[in-house]
Amino acid sequence: MHTDTISTGRLSRGLCGELCVPGDKSISHRVAILAGLAEGKTRVENFLCSADCLHTLTAMQQLGAVVDLEPNTSIITITGTAMHPKPPREEIDCGNSGTGMRLLAGVLAALPFPSRMTGDESLCSRPMGRIITPLELMGAQITACGARPGCAPLEIKGRKLRGIEYTLPVASAQVKSSVLLAGMFAEGTTSVHQPTITRDHTERLFSHFGIPCAVSNGGLTVQIGGGVFPQANNISIPADFSSAAFWVVAACVVPGSELLLRRVGLNPTRTALLHVLRRMGADIQISNEQRTCEPYGDIIVRSAANLHGTELEASEIPNLIDEIPILAVASAFAKGKTTIRHAAELRVKESDRIHTIVTNLRAVGGEVEEFDDGMIITGGVPLNGCVLDSFGDHRIAMSFLIAGLCAEGSTTLHHCENINTSYPDFAKHLRQLTQ
Ligand code: S3P
């Protein structure tokens, strides 16, 4: 068997016990960048040592940050560059990570030297115009040199930037964060208006690292002054809600399950999946909630006998965008129709997730209608395991391995190596819970 192939089969008993999923990916990227720019040493507990975040950490090392990893732990210490990064000797490789590339572009655009960023085939086919446009309005000079227009590799000639007021044409936390990070270095004030609320980790971490940042208009407008200086500040990163989501859905759909997921990030801009699953009839409870810079708590999930379909609201989409592959799996086991529209952004993720979800759901016998901006799934039809491709997309791989736990026969996913981008212990945790 290839090491990048994983199979699951129908479970004869529930998923029981407890689990700690690894640290949050979005927060780990931002901590690497802000601690890497800060003055002083930041000790980071539960940093996500996955391929995506390690690429961002390496980029910050290329810019002069010093990183010490405590062996056999997920604790790292980052000594920052005190807002004086040095020119990288080589091109910066962001791997598979859109977050890494878009956020770093905001920093690199403002630095007084040229740099070049690249990534893997998937990343080099994703739209970068969405960050190039606002960064150029701030005075940046960025050339997209990819084979596809507007795509990476990016060549950046760093220069002095000026603050802007920018309205995001798409609800994207990556674009918001890229502009705000550039705003730290710019002359004057930078304001970003979002059409709907997107994840607010950048804003929360600005405060954590001592950077004044004003949030107004019900969270839709974020403002930062230029010339600010982040100060090192130790942090413990909660478990990634998006990784926990696979087990939340698994426990909902596998009969006889009762799972406890410990210290999971519960930032309200990330947890719309919980509201949607509860609306579908799921039995989910939260305990030990802690209201720190990034709130977290324990999630207790028990299997739900009668899940039923629901319709997602447009405003919910950005707050569960990464959970749509696993929500689609939950919907396939829920009676009736689940409508997921207003989600065209899925087409430009690590894969075209509307196409890859629909293709794999149909392959296992699911009933699904495809739209430009989403899908309607008719659930409750028995699924039959088969051989599937992950399309090089970590969340597609993990979602359909979970589907396999309730499908007839065996479900085999090829090309699972990309699970390492976000959840390196997934296969181990799957074995732990199922064997
Ligand atoms: C992320 C934001 C989301 C999400 C991505 C991580 C972030 O992308 O899909 O996995 O860390 O800011 P968009 O903001 O582009 O929707």
Side-chain angles (χ1 to χ4, degrees):
M1 193 171 85
H2 301 291
T3 52
D4 63 358
T5 295
I6 306 180
S7 297
T8 50
R10 188 194 287 284
L11 286 182
S12 52
R13 55 169 183 80
L15 293 165
C16 292
E18 64 176 82
L19 197 64
C20 274
V21 303
D24 186 274
K25 181 153 77 74
S26 290
I27 301 176
S28 294
H29 280 295
R30 287 159 171 81
V31 166
I33 294 172
L34 288 171
L37 292 172
E39 185 166 33
K41 251 185 205 190
T42 298
R43 184 175 188 271
V44 187
E45 279 178 31
N46 210 28
F47 185 84
L48 175 63
C49 291
S50 73
D52 273 12
C53 301
L54 291 175
H55 277 292
T56 296
L57 201 56
T58 303
M60 293 313 295
Q61 284 176 300
Q62 286 175 268
L63 295 173
V66 176
V67 177
D68 293 304
L69 298 155
E70 279 186 26
N72 307 319
T73 71
S74 48
I75 299 175
I76 64 170
T77 305
I78 304 174
T79 307
T81 57
M83 289 300 265
H84 283 100
K86 62 171 195 191
R89 286 219 207 103
E90 283 160 16
E91 120 183 300
I92 289 171
D93 180 4
C94 297
N96 188 243
S97 178
T99 309
M101 181 169 282
R102 294 190 177 117
L103 269 56
L104 285 166
V107 172
L108 293 170
L111 298 177
F113 47 74
S115 54
R116 188 179 155 93
M117 277 197 293
T118 190
D120 68 9
E121 202 184 317
S122 149
L123 183 53
C124 288
S125 67
R126 296 179 63 187
M128 291 298 145
R130 55 180 60 196
I131 51 143
I132 295 175
T133 301
L135 293 174
E136 283 187 342
L137 287 172
M138 298 177 84
Q141 228 184 304
I142 303 177
T143 311
C145 317
R148 295 171 66 162
C151 291
L154 301 182
E155 266 174 20
I156 301 180
K157 288 201 182 100
R159 17 165 57 196
K160 187 79 204 145
L161 304 182
R162 55 185 176 274
I164 53 164
E165 190 170 335
Y166 189 66
T167 299
L168 299 179
V170 282
S172 164
Q174 294 179 352
V175 179
K176 171 180 69 176
S177 303
S178 183
V179 175
L180 291 173
L181 286 166
M184 287 173 64
F185 297 85
E187 218 168 73
T189 302
T190 297
S191 303
V192 183
H193 306 290
Q194 333 171 57
T196 29
I197 303 273
T198 65
R199 63 188 69 191
D200 65 356
H201 304 301
T202 304
E203 296 89 310
R204 287 170 186 261
L205 288 171
F206 276 154
S207 301
H208 180 82
F209 286 101
I211 300 168
C213 156
V215 180
S216 57
N217 194 14
L220 292 173
T221 299
V222 189
Q223 198 171 63
I224 184 177
V228 291
F229 231 77
Q231 295 300 317
N233 190 8
N234 297 345
I235 188 162
S236 177
I237 298 179
D240 196 323
F241 180 84
S242 300
S243 298
F246 298 106
W247 306 116
V248 170
V249 168
C252 284
V253 299
V254 177
S257 297
E258 181 166 346
L259 264 189
L260 168 62
L261 299 154
R262 288 245 186 244
R263 295 172 66 89
V264 181
L266 295 173
N267 179 321
T269 61
R270 291 283 297 281
T271 51
L273 176 77
L274 297 183
H275 307 298
V276 172
L277 286 174
R278 281 184 179 134
R279 218 156 65 213
M280 295 171 77
D283 178 356
I284 301 170
Q285 279 159 39
I286 304 294
S287 70
N288 297 324
E289 208 170 341
Q290 307 293 318
R291 305 211 159 272
T292 46
C293 149
E294 282 288 352
Y296 64 88
D298 298 339
I299 303 180
I300 301 131
V301 201
R302 295 183 187 88
S303 46
N306 293 308
L307 281 183
H308 51 82
T310 187
E311 181 167 349
L312 269 63
E313 287 166 28
S315 62
E316 288 177 318
I317 298 294
N319 301 145
L320 49 61
I321 189 76
D322 291 344
E323 286 68 70
I324 289 177
I326 192 63
L327 177 61
V329 168
S331 309
F333 294 109
K335 269 217 154 53
K337 286 191 191 311
T338 295
T339 303
I340 305 172
R341 304 290 302 267
H342 318 286
E345 274 298 292
L346 289 173
R347 298 239 179 240
V348 291
K349 293 294 176 188
E350 288 84 326
S351 67
D352 170 349
R353 285 187 177 155
I354 295 178
H355 172 73
T356 52
I357 292 169
V358 167
T359 303
N360 279 355
L361 261 187
R362 285 188 180 145
V364 292
E367 230 175 77
V368 53
E369 194 181 346
E370 178 172 353
F371 297 89
D372 283 350
D373 67 346
M375 63 199 83
I376 296 181
I377 297 164
T378 304
V381 183
L383 301 188
N384 293 301
C386 64
V387 178
L388 299 171
D389 197 353
S390 74
F391 301 91
D393 183 330
H394 55 137
R395 299 200 198 280
I396 296 295
M398 292 185 273
S399 298
F400 283 90
L401 286 166
I402 298 296
L405 300 176
C406 280
E408 202 51 50
S410 159
T411 301
T412 296
L413 262 292
H414 286 317
H415 301 125
C416 289
E417 60 278 9
N418 262 13
I419 290 177
N420 284 330
T421 61
S422 67
Y423 193 167
D425 284 337
F426 179 79
K428 187 175 104 188
H429 287 169
L430 180 66
R431 275 196 304 276
Q432 197 176 311
L433 287 172
T434 57
Q435 283 172 10

